[in-house]
Amino acid sequence: MVGLIAAAAMVASFFLPWVAFFGTELGPVYFFDENAPPMGDYPWRVYAVLASFAFAALAVLCVVLRRRAGLVMLIAGGIPVGLIAEPILRGVDQIQDLPVEVPRGIPGGGDVQGVLDTVSQYIAIGLPMYLIAAFVLVLAGLVRLVRGT
């Protein structure tokens, strides 16, 4: 049941705004807007995010039809989790390779909390909903795979 709710939340987040600034709200639906750039101009990560919505919709369908949905849920949640983890892991490796000590905090005396407060002003409901659903889908998918459902 939790996996179904998370998958449905991920699908719903497709239609909600993810960022809002200067009176404009943008979300994944923007990629299909008439004013959006051609689909061939986007980086591969955009296609991966769009694929996660398709897998989430497939997970909802599998649960409703009482089919095994564990792997589909794991893929739907794993795509965004992987997209988040990949640059972080790459950055950690690059920092560890530096021959100097890297200072903590943000250059120029800023603090991390101040940056988060500033960024949070522009985040709309769709992005946190998508990310929370992704992490829940990874867990639900793993549980379902272990249980064989």
Side-chain angles (χ1 to χ4, degrees), residues 34 41 46 49 54 60 67-68 77 84 92 98 103 110 119 121 125 127 130 136:
E34 62 207 27
D41 292 347
V46 171
V49 169
V60 169
R67 304 284 185 214
R68 291 185 176 185
I84 293 168
V92 168
L98 292 175
V119 170
Q121 295 175 6
I125 188 68
L127 184 59
Y130 175 76
V136 171

Side-chain angles (χ1 to χ4, degrees), residues 87-139:
I88 292 172
L89 294 174
R90 191 174 344 126
V92 168
D93 287 342
Q94 290 175 353
I95 287 174
Q96 290 174 349
D97 291 340
L98 292 175
V100 296
E101 185 177 335
V102 178
R104 298 193 181 264
I106 297 175
D111 64 324
V112 175
Q113 187 61 42
V115 171
L116 291 176
D117 290 341
T118 302
V119 170
S120 68
Q121 295 175 6
Y122 301 105
I123 302 295
I125 188 68
L127 184 59
M129 187 173 169
Y130 175 76
L131 295 175
I132 292 169
F135 285 107
V136 171
L137 277 174
V138 167
L139 294 174

Side-chain angles (χ1 to χ4, degrees), residues 5-14 52-53 56 76-77 80 129-130 133-135 137:
I5 293 169
M10 183 179 275
V11 171
S13 73
F14 178 81
S52 71
F53 291 113
M129 187 173 169
Y130 175 76
F135 285 107
L137 277 174

